[in-house]
Every structure is written in structure tokens, then in C-alpha cells.
């Protein structure tokens, strides 16, 4: 847990991904569409990627990617992020985390 916690601390938005994962790419596009700049970790290219993968699975993510953290908190996977967007809560979470400062729907 500490390895993941260390990577998400003090970063507004973190996405754990694997190279070429189209769903991870879609999540990144969604979040950057609001003006945020997520930190993306490609765990298949990291020396401790297997350990991170196991931790994410222990957190309930199967498959482990994409896993999204906002404001240091585990949000979940793509379905969870889309649910937040549909509920109108995603933008506020991004603002609360300092990932974006203003949001204009127009």
C-alpha cells in the first residue's frame, strides 16, 4: 500500500495505466478535457510495476488499470469516474484537489 500511497501523495490526479490500454487513454482524455494534467504511471514500464499491480488488485481493481486517484483518494476505475461525471461531481472533485481552478461549462 505504501508504494501506491507514495506515488499519489501531493499529486492532484493520478492514473495508473499500462502501455497501450485504450480505456486508460480515454480516462486521461476525459480528465484533461477539464484542463487537469494527470500524472500517469505506466506500471508495465516501472521496475516495481508488479508490486503496484498487486496493490491495486488488493484495493479491488480487477483488472488493475486504469485506477484513478483524485486528491490522494482512490476513486476507482472508469465506471466510477463516468458515474461521478454523470452525477456532476467530477469537476468539483478536480477543483477540490487543485487539479483545476475554474470551470466554465460554456
Amino acid at each position: 500500500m505504501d508504494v501506491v500511497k507514495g506515488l499519489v501523495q501531493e499529486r492532484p490526479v493520478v492514473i495508473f495505466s499500462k502501455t497501450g490500454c485504450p480505456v486508460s487513454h480515454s480516462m486521461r482524455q476525459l480528465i484533461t478535457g477539464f484542463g487537469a494534467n494527470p500524472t500517469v504511471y505506466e506500471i508495465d514500464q516501472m521496475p516495481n510495476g508488479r508490486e503496484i499491480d498487486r496493490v491495486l488488485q488488493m484495493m479491488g481493481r480487477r483488472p488493475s488499470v486504469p485506477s484513478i486517484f483524485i486528491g490522494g483518494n482512490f476513486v476507482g476505475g472508469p465506471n466510477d469516474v463516468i458515474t461521478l461525471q454523470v452525477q456532476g461531481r467530477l469537476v468539483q472533485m478536480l477543483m477540490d484537489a487543485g487539479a483545476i481552478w475554474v470551470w466554465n461549462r460554456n
Side-chain angles (χ1 to χ4, degrees), residues 38-58:
T39 300
V40 179
Y41 293 108
E42 302 287 351
I43 63 174
D44 58 329
Q45 296 182 358
M46 298 173 70
N48 60 345
R50 287 181 188 217
E51 179 184 2
I52 294 169
D53 189 58
R54 280 192 299 273
V55 170
L56 294 173
Q57 287 183 30
M58 287 182 355

Side-chain angles (χ1 to χ4, degrees), residues 62-105:
R62 284 183 173 64
S64 61
V65 296
S67 290
I68 297 99
F69 291 76
I70 298 176
N73 297 310
F74 179 56
V75 173
N79 290 342
D80 304 298
V81 172
I82 296 298
T83 297
L84 290 170
Q85 168 61 11
V86 169
Q87 293 173 343
R89 297 173 39 208
L90 181 58
V91 168
Q92 189 61 52
M93 286 182 76
L94 293 171
M95 290 179 74
D96 291 346
I100 58 175
W101 289 271
V102 293
W103 174 248
N104 183 357
R105 292 180 182 218

Side-chain angles (χ1 to χ4, degrees), residues 27-38:
M27 289 296 98
R28 183 177 183 170
Q29 292 300 110
L30 173 67
I31 291 169
T32 58
F34 293 110
N37 186 22

